[in-house]
Amino acid sequence: MNFKGENILSSDQFSRRDLDRLFSVTSEMLPFADKKERSNLLEDKILATLFFEPSTRTRFSFETAMLRLGGRVISNHTMEATSCITKGETLYDTGKVMSTFADIIVMRHPESGSVEKLALGATIPVINGGDGASDHPTQGLLDLYTIQKNVKNSDSFTIVIVGDLKNSRVAHAQCRLLKNYRDVKFVFVSLKALKMPSEIVSELKEKGFSVTETEDFLGALPVCDVLSVTRVQKERFSSEEEYKKFKGTYVLTPELLKKLKSDAIVISPLPRVDEIHQDCDKDSRCKYFEQVKHGVALRMALLALVLGLK
Ligand code: NCD
């Protein structure tokens, strides 16, 4: 992929070469994300963030990335209630119109495939900030960057992904991106009703990856190099009662952390509800707040590459 001028809609569109290039620019961006150095690389560029679903990290980290590189931001985080979509405007038309105002768009929406619909109308690059339960490429990318930085051999490791694997777009993005690595072993821990979609499992198996599906969290802990924790995705359930059936099944506690290897890492896209006990935060193997900083640097790199300034 060229990056320049391209839409970033799916985690499937990245090759190993693309990932290596993106991660190398991400490392260059770390001092700016860390507020240690200043840059005007994206001066005069405008980012539009169109959010139809709640967000803390994704929207603010894109906006921070843009602002810290000297760019500007126009933003609506209540699109579902306050944009012309409420009057019946199509995503296609919204994409066309927003292209007049901005140089690049980041969009989040509860429906799978919705970001692509907007991108069809847009004449500027569109980045998927999460579309329904389907995909969340930039979160998957920053997770992988964190793995690369912390795992000894990032071509050969075991990742245990635990939680709501059916609905977690982050878990899906991680699997799609990790297909680019050589010897990754996948262990999926979930209740039967919340299993990883079968298309993702079959694709990994077809490509020769080892995949284990289990309900046994305790048994999976000692083998893992990366523990990826996902929240039960409340907003994807039909009712509160339905959600409550699954909430609280898998909870990482300091007691359970003792079962992990000394050089294993724990990642989570956050937000957490109850799946990672706050007392785990003191353990240096827990990288979820470090991930937030990587998120800004990675989004700086992506904006710069897509806008053709890197
Ligand atoms: C994730 C998301 O929105 O899918 N959050 C994020 O972007 N950091 C994960 C989640 O909401 O559980």
Coordinates of all heavy atoms in Angstrom, one line a residue, residues 57-58 108 136 139 169-170 231 233 235 269-271, ligand 1:
R57 N -10.6 7.4 24.0 CA -9.2 7.3 23.5 C -9.1 7.6 22.0 O -8.3 8.4 21.5 CB -8.6 5.9 23.7 CG -8.0 5.8 25.1 CD -8.1 4.4 25.6 NE -9.5 4.1 25.8 CZ -10.1 4.4 27.0 NH1 -9.4 4.9 28.0 NH2 -11.4 4.2 27.1
T58 N -10.0 6.9 21.2 CA -9.8 7.0 19.7 C -9.9 8.4 19.2 O -9.1 8.9 18.5 CB -10.7 6.0 19.0 OG1 -10.5 4.7 19.5 CG2 -10.5 6.0 17.5
R108 N -16.4 6.9 13.4 CA -16.8 5.7 14.2 C -18.3 5.6 14.1 O -19.0 6.6 14.1 CB -16.4 5.9 15.6 CG -17.0 4.8 16.5 CD -16.5 4.9 17.9 NE -15.1 4.3 18.0 CZ -14.5 4.1 19.1 NH1 -15.0 4.3 20.3 NH2 -13.3 3.6 19.1
H136 N -11.5 -2.4 13.9 CA -11.0 -1.2 14.5 C -9.5 -1.1 14.2 O -8.7 -1.4 15.1 CB -11.3 -1.2 16.0 CG -11.0 0.0 16.7 ND1 -10.5 1.2 16.2 CD2 -11.3 0.3 18.0 CE1 -10.4 2.1 17.1 NE2 -10.9 1.6 18.2
Q139 N -6.7 0.7 16.5 CA -6.5 0.1 17.8 C -5.7 -1.1 17.6 O -4.7 -1.4 18.3 CB -7.8 -0.2 18.5 CG -7.6 -0.8 19.9 CD -7.0 0.2 20.9 OE1 -7.4 1.3 21.0 NE2 -6.0 -0.3 21.6
R169 N -14.4 -5.7 18.3 CA -13.8 -5.4 17.0 C -12.3 -5.3 17.1 O -11.6 -5.5 16.2 CB -14.4 -4.0 16.5 CG -14.3 -2.9 17.5 CD -15.2 -1.7 17.0 NE -15.3 -0.6 17.9 CZ -16.2 0.3 17.9 NH1 -17.2 0.2 17.0 NH2 -16.3 1.2 18.8
V170 N -11.8 -5.0 18.4 CA -10.4 -4.9 18.6 C -9.8 -6.3 18.5 O -8.7 -6.5 17.8 CB -10.1 -4.3 20.0 CG1 -8.6 -4.3 20.3 CG2 -10.6 -2.9 20.0
R231 N -13.3 -6.3 26.9 CA -14.5 -6.0 27.7 C -15.7 -6.8 27.0 O -15.8 -6.9 25.8 CB -14.7 -4.5 27.6 CG -16.0 -3.9 28.0 CD -15.9 -2.4 27.8 NE -16.0 -2.0 26.4 CZ -17.2 -1.8 25.8 NH1 -18.3 -1.8 26.5 NH2 -17.2 -1.4 24.6
Q233 N -18.9 -6.5 25.4 CA -19.3 -5.3 24.7 C -20.8 -5.0 24.9 O -21.7 -5.4 24.0 CB -19.0 -5.5 23.2 CG -17.6 -5.8 22.9 CD -16.6 -4.6 22.9 OE1 -16.8 -3.7 22.1 NE2 -15.7 -4.6 23.8
E235 N -22.9 -2.7 24.6 CA -23.8 -2.1 23.6 C -24.2 -3.0 22.4 O -25.0 -2.6 21.6 CB -23.1 -0.8 23.0 CG -21.8 -1.0 22.3 CD -20.5 -1.1 23.2 OE1 -20.6 -1.7 24.3 OE2 -19.4 -0.7 22.8
P269 N -7.5 -2.5 25.1 CA -7.7 -1.3 24.4 C -8.3 -0.2 25.4 O -8.3 0.9 25.1 CB -8.7 -1.6 23.3 CG -9.4 -2.9 23.8 CD -8.4 -3.6 24.7
L270 N -8.8 -0.7 26.5 CA -9.6 0.1 27.4 C -10.9 0.6 26.6 O -10.8 0.7 25.4 CB -8.8 1.2 28.0 CG -7.6 0.8 28.8 CD1 -6.8 2.0 29.2 CD2 -7.9 0.0 30.0
P271 N -12.0 1.0 27.2 CA -12.2 1.1 28.6 C -12.3 -0.3 29.3 O -12.7 -1.3 28.6 CB -13.6 1.8 28.7 CG -14.3 1.4 27.4 CD -13.2 1.3 26.4
Ligands
NCD1 C1 -12.4 -0.1 22.0 C2 -13.6 0.0 21.0 O1 -14.2 1.1 20.9 O2 -13.8 -0.9 20.3 N1 -12.1 1.0 22.6 C3 -11.1 1.8 22.1 O3 -11.2 2.2 20.9 N2 -10.0 2.1 22.8 C4 -12.7 -1.3 22.9 C5 -14.0 -1.3 23.7 O4 -14.8 -0.4 23.6 O5 -14.1 -2.3 24.4

